[in-house]
Amino acid sequence: MNTTDLSVMALGGATVLYAIAMVAYAIRLARVADDKVAAKAAVREPVAAGGVSPAEAVGSAPAVPAASSPGAKARKAAGIARSTTLVGALLHAVGLTARGIDAGHVPWSNMYEYTISGSFFAVLAFLIIQRKRDVAYLGAGVTGIATVSLGLALTVLYKDVDTLPPALQSYWLVIHVSIATIVTGIFAVSFIASALQLMRDSRDTGRRWTGDRVRWLDAVPSAANLEALSFRLNAVGFVLWTFTVMAGAIWAEHAWGRYWGWDPKEVWSFVIWVLYAAYLHARTTQGWAGRRSAWLAIAGFTALIMNFTVVNLFFQGLHTYAGS
Amino acid sequence: MARVKLDNYVVPDAPRLGARGWLRWIWRQVTSMRVALILLLLLALASIPGSVLPQWPQDAAATRAFLAEYPFWGPVLDATGFLDVFGSAWFTAIYVLLFASLIGCIAPRAVHHWRELRRPIAATPRTLARYDGAGPETASSTPDEALAAARAALRPRAGRLGALTGYRVRVDRREDGSLALAAETGHVRELGNLVFHASLVLVLVAVAYGTLFTYRGQAIVVEGRSFTNAVVAYDTFSSGALFDPSDLDPFTLRLDSLDASFSDTGRPLHFQANVTFTEPGEDPVEETIAVNHPLEAGDAKVYLQGNGYAPVITVHDAAGEVAFSGPVVFLAQDAAYTSTGVVKVPDVSTGEQLGFKATLYPSFVEGPFAVGSVHPDPANPVIEMLVYTGDLGLDAGVPQNVYTLDESQLSPVQDADGQPVTLRLALGETVELPDGLGSVTFEELPRYGAFDLRADPSLPFLLVAALLTLAGLATSLFASRRKVWLIARVEDGTTVVTGAAYAPAHDAGVGAVLERAMAAAAGRDPAPAAGETEQA
């Protein structure tokens, strides 16, 4: 088995494991929601279960209540989800490293490589946050995005390894694109948090998502907690994105003789920056905090995905090698 | 006669806003966060057409083609600035308003922050029971000594930065006889916020400064030839409004050779121009210019932006005289460097002027139906050309594109069947022209480098402004906002210290700070940082 096969097989394995993890995380959410209903029923009885409902406990400590069987089911699903995600991420890392060794350069020089790196950093960001606090409710979304990205990468975007074109032969490829890739991962996680925030908020206020089929929404933290998490991720992401744009400008000055030329990629990087800047302002502005600012964060992530897909594939510009 | 009223009050005697009032109202609106937010969103929205439609400054050729393709919408979009979005009046209006809003917001805040910094911080709350607390603990020292030790412990960061980022502390003796210490950090957050926004203004100023003084020129240099840095020597030259042509450093650049390497499949691997660089009054220096590796030439940089072939072609006219001899720059049309070029021969000794439309195939192959180049390396260079006679139109005094032939007064040379004659020359070959017009020789095949020289004196300022922006932004988002309080009182002859701390929910590190202050006050070693990583 050569390095190319190793890379592709490891990434294929990671895709399958992420898919399993996504299902397990989804089951876990449903089980936690069931437990909450059960807990509510129990609260009606005089013997309250310590006054802490499982849904509130999700945000803080994982092992609060109930050696009862429903809680055990949720924990079992969470265990499967966590271990498959972890092994998936390890395989993902192996696949990424093998690709880098095979190509002889950092594995983010075209769309295929950018996709496998970006999805890896999304999972990695999730795992790092998971170490600090229980964010298992984000798991289904993150592993879902990773499954879809890796699947698309391996089937549609795949490119054989090749040497770097002269335009990319620069250490700025390591600095500029790696940070851009990491930011994409962070923004992906915060996007899921914002989306959950909006859904949860709609459910709480009785606007939409009120049915029994989306009862799992009761298992995610309150809209305010989700907003706080999404803000912290977006703050990190925004600083790193600012750095990405600046590093890109320095590289452009070095390679093309101008630091900013309104190339389509630059235009969209600017649009993304402005949208997240608007988000940061909106969340402290009366009438915009909460739902509207969450929509801005989602718009920012949409622009990020646009910049990576539509701009690469359909717009003419200096960043055209990204589409190859 | 009805009077036009701007402010339509029901009560006629109500005070009018007046001109000053309106101005103040407008300024309030412009500097409000809501308007800033709308302007930001407008800025994002207004940028998008700049990536979808062809833009004059980015791609003039595509824009011209767009105008030709859409005879109605093209001119409409052009007149409304959509084909030069980032120079259009409406885009400028948005960002000027945005920066006005930014300055209007930041300037008063800076003044306020300055005053705030010089004012003492808020005193310790009467009771600490509402907050996450520590103690009571007994200390062997007096309350004054205990709180002095705590105060010293809260200022651990030495040096000037410590003064900026450390805790601001106040100690009060209270009515009940206790001594209260209040410490807080977080002012640096607002400072970062102010630095960030002020630096954005600096970025804009630096960009404007650069636009006024920048210059940029493009020149094509064939291997073995030299180039002198003067405005007339450039093929194209553009500069800012305040640029002085005498500022150009009159260096010379000789292109000794141009290395271009390709993979077997024709994928570019590396381009490098080996040049001899001579500054006036200095010894020549050998340098290399490559993609991503510009040459520093005085206050400017020289970039290698392109390359190609410039075959040396010699034309003898009907009288046998050399009518033209020299390298002709051909422009590559595809990845295999199939290149096109034009030879104009106005100075014939007899007869009509000659023109050639030529195609160069660096690695020529001939198939059954077509010819082509299979690789960008010159493995088998062949030039095919069509010959024209007539008037080249050069005497009209109108500047002509050197890469196209004005065929309006030229006619192709035809063979006996009335078909245009296509000449084919391999490297080193000479071919006789039909009708005794002379001969043409393909002598050599040097490469050329397309160089771009650019100077922008604003770059160092821009870099500093950008770094300040980044530092300010990171500080404003990540600097911690913490409050720590300690109360020391004497109970039964011993000093008793209680403490409390307050920070946003996600900030768990504040517990360790409180512990450090308590330990210092009590005169003991701080406990190992418990809860340092725990999250609320």
Side-chain angles (χ1 to χ4, degrees):
Chain A
M1 187 166 74
N2 60 25
T3 334
T4 312
D5 295 338
L6 173 69
S7 170
V8 169
M9 285 171 73
L11 292 175
T15 315
V16 173
L17 285 171
Y18 287 152
I20 296 170
M22 174 180 70
V23 173
Y25 273 122
I27 290 173
R28 179 203 157 273
L29 266 186
R31 293 277 181 255
V32 173
D34 289 346
D35 294 351
K36 193 184 171 184
V37 174
K40 257 188 193 157
V43 166
R44 279 193 218 107
E45 310 291 310
V47 200
V52 183
S53 75
E56 278 163 13
V58 166
S60 53
V64 177
S68 65
S69 72
K73 270 185 190 167
R75 274 208 303 282
K76 191 173 176 192
I80 293 171
R82 205 173 302 143
S83 44
T84 43
T85 309
L86 202 63
V87 178
L90 281 175
L91 276 180
H92 200 159
V94 168
L96 211 53
T97 315
R99 173 76 184 190
I101 292 169
D102 195 16
H105 54 77
V106 285
W108 46 74
S109 73
N110 57 32
M111 270 185 88
Y112 167 68
E113 294 178 348
Y114 194 93
T115 309
I116 59 176
S117 315
S119 50
F120 175 72
F121 286 118
V123 174
L124 191 68
F126 168 69
L127 288 174
I128 289 172
I129 306 163
Q130 177 81 14
R131 276 176 63 86
K132 290 215 158 196
R133 57 174 75 187
D134 187 9
V135 285
Y137 56 88
L138 294 177
V142 174
T143 50
I145 285 183
T147 311
V148 173
S149 326
L150 272 184
L152 277 178
L154 288 169
T155 51
V156 181
L157 301 171
Y158 183 79
K159 280 275 178 317
D160 285 328
V161 291
D162 212 335
T163 49
L164 286 177
L168 293 185
Q169 291 165 12
S170 167
Y171 54 89
W172 285 104
L173 176 67
V174 182
I175 303 170
H176 168 63
V177 188
S178 67
I179 300 295
T181 319
I182 290 170
V183 182
T184 308
I186 293 173
F187 277 148
V189 179
S190 89
F191 160 74
I192 293 164
S194 290
L196 285 176
Q197 174 200 340
L198 283 170
M199 292 168 82
R200 174 73 203 241
D201 186 65
S202 293
R203 185 176 176 85
D204 288 350
T205 52
R207 247 182 276 196
R208 293 187 63 195
W209 308 103
T210 47
D212 217 29
R213 296 182 64 177
V214 285
R215 201 167 67 193
W216 58 267
L217 273 176
D218 292 335
V220 306
S222 68
N225 279 341
L226 286 166
E227 204 283 332
L229 175 73
S230 141
F231 164 63
R232 279 163 62 69
L233 288 170
N234 283 332
V236 175
F238 185 65
V239 172
L240 291 179
W241 187 252
T242 310
F243 176 83
T244 304
V245 172
M246 285 178 184
I250 296 174
W251 188 9
E253 199 279 323
H254 208 64
W256 300 324
R258 88 290 184 291
Y259 54 84
W260 197 265
W262 296 111
D263 174 81
K265 198 96 184 177
E266 291 168 350
V267 172
W268 279 88
S269 300
F270 175 74
V271 169
I272 293 162
W273 192 86
V274 170
L275 282 174
Y276 277 105
Y279 158 82
L280 288 176
H281 285 92
R283 62 183 296 285
T284 57
T285 304
Q286 214 182 8
W288 284 76
R291 293 188 66 87
R292 280 194 192 176
S293 69
W295 276 115
L296 283 178
I298 287 175
F301 185 70
T302 313
L304 193 80
I305 295 302
M306 279 283 290
N307 197 16
F308 172 57
T309 52
V310 176
V311 175
N312 273 2
L313 298 173
F314 300 108
F315 293 173
Q316 283 299 313
L318 288 165
H319 285 83
T320 42
Y321 43 78
S324 65
Chain B
M1 208 172 93
R3 257 183 41 210
V4 179
K5 288 178 190 172
L6 263 174
D7 31 9
N8 182 21
Y9 294 120
V10 180
V11 184
D13 299 338
R16 299 280 190 263
L17 265 178
R20 287 181 56 150
W22 275 105
L23 281 176
R24 188 174 297 137
W25 180 83
I26 289 170
W27 182 243
R28 286 253 170 79
Q29 291 301 310
V30 166
T31 57
S32 79
M33 188 71 109
R34 193 179 309 258
V35 171
L37 199 54
I38 289 165
L39 287 172
L40 271 173
L41 293 178
L42 274 179
L43 191 66
L45 201 64
S47 309
I48 294 174
S51 72
V52 181
L53 296 167
Q55 301 287 299
W56 281 114
Q58 276 72 41
D59 195 344
T63 315
R64 255 190 298 274
F66 179 82
L67 281 173
E69 195 179 345
Y70 300 97
F72 177 73
W73 282 111
V76 168
L77 290 171
D78 195 20
T80 47
F82 277 91
L83 301 187
D84 182 11
V85 166
F86 304 104
S88 69
W90 39 273
F91 191 82
T92 311
I94 294 172
Y95 75 76
V96 165
L97 270 177
L98 191 61
F99 271 92
S101 163
L102 188 157
I103 292 167
C105 178
I106 284 305
R109 275 177 81 160
V111 173
H112 178 78
H113 187 59
W114 173 247
R115 291 207 185 115
E116 198 71 3
L117 278 181
R118 305 194 329 153
R119 201 177 293 155
I121 59 170
T124 310
R126 187 183 308 265
T127 168
L128 301 181
R130 291 176 54 214
Y131 303 96
D132 293 336
E137 265 188 72
T138 57
S140 51
S141 52
T142 66
D144 291 81
E145 288 166 348
L147 291 196
R151 180 180 203 147
L154 284 172
R155 282 197 168 275
R157 279 167 275 190
R160 268 165 292 174
L161 262 184
L164 201 64
T165 60
Y167 282 81
R168 301 174 63 205
V169 183
R170 76 181 267 180
V171 178
D172 300 285
R173 190 167 300 282
R174 306 208 286 192
E175 281 178 7
D176 60 359
S178 62
L179 200 62
L181 174 149
E184 65 175 66
T185 180
H187 48 282
V188 64
R189 254 180 113 87
E190 174 68 0
L191 187 69
N193 187 23
L194 294 173
V195 168
F196 168 67
H197 286 91
S199 305
L200 284 181
V201 180
L202 280 184
V203 168
L204 192 71
V205 171
V207 170
Y209 168 69
T211 313
L212 289 177
F213 288 95
T214 187
Y215 63 91
R216 172 170 210 162
Q218 279 98 31
I220 282 179
V221 186
V222 179
E223 279 178 319
R225 305 257 168 152
S226 295
F227 160 82
T228 303
N229 186 28
V231 172
V232 290
Y234 287 102
D235 303 327
T236 59
F237 190 86
S238 56
S239 61
L242 297 181
F243 164 76
D244 180 359
S246 65
D247 286 351
L248 281 183
D249 189 20
F251 62 81
T252 58
L253 195 71
R254 201 186 110 92
L255 179 62
D256 300 322
S257 62
L258 191 124
D259 303 338
S261 57
F262 300 90
S263 71
D264 293 342
T265 56
R267 201 176 137 93
L269 296 176
H270 191 62
F271 300 121
Q272 177 177 316
N274 303 306
V275 299
T276 306
F277 175 63
T278 316
E279 285 202 86
E282 310 242 342
D283 289 332
V285 194
E286 293 199 347
E287 298 275 4
T288 60
I289 307 176
V291 182
N292 275 314
H293 179 71
L295 169 70
E296 306 256 352
D299 57 352
K301 282 186 194 153
V302 185
Y303 301 85
L304 177 62
Q305 294 293 53
N307 66 82
Y309 292 106
V312 175
I313 290 168
T314 300
V315 178
H316 287 84
D317 61 17
E321 302 286 334
V322 175
F324 178 91
S325 184
V328 181
V329 171
F330 278 47
L331 299 181
Q333 304 296 321
D334 60 20
Y337 278 54
T338 304
S339 313
T340 56
V342 160
V343 188
K344 298 177 185 181
V345 187
D347 301 322
V348 284
S349 51
T350 63
E352 288 184 302
Q353 296 181 333
L354 292 172
F356 299 88
K357 257 167 84 174
T359 305
L360 167 75
Y361 304 96
S363 290
F364 181 79
V365 287
E366 187 167 15
F369 306 109
V371 295
S373 176
V374 290
H375 196 274
D377 277 335
N380 177 30
V382 166
I383 296 179
E384 283 194 338
M385 43 174 68
L386 294 168
V387 189
Y388 292 79
T389 57
D391 184 352
L392 291 166
L394 292 171
D395 303 329
V398 183
Q400 269 199 5
N401 188 332
V402 296
Y403 303 112
T404 56
L405 210 55
D406 177 8
E407 291 177 47
S408 58
Q409 301 172 71
L410 293 171
S411 49
V413 174
Q414 293 166 346
D415 60 15
D417 304 333
Q419 293 295 312
V421 174
T422 303
L423 305 179
R424 184 180 289 179
L425 295 92
L427 185 58
E429 268 183 359
T430 300
V431 171
E432 294 293 323
L433 299 176
D435 308 337
L437 286 167
S439 69
V440 56
T441 312
F442 178 11
E443 313 253 9
E444 286 175 68
L445 188 60
R447 291 179 194 267
Y448 68 84
F451 294 97
D452 202 345
L453 177 131
R454 162 103 182 215
D456 186 343
S458 71
L459 291 179
F461 304 108
L462 200 58
L463 184 65
V464 169
L467 290 177
L468 278 175
T469 308
L470 196 61
L473 178 64
T475 312
S476 75
L477 288 171
F478 302 140
S480 49
R481 209 168 9 190
R482 296 166 175 173
K483 290 183 179 179
V484 174
W485 302 288
L486 258 58
I487 299 175
R489 60 167 61 85
V490 180
E491 286 174 11
D492 306 330
T494 47
T495 304
V496 177
V497 185
T498 49
Y502 176 75
H506 57 77
D507 181 2
V510 70
V513 177
L514 177 61
E515 168 58 20
R516 201 166 68 221
M518 286 296 290
R524 60 175 170 81
D525 290 332
E532 185 84 81
T533 55
E534 243 170 57
Q535 294 287 320

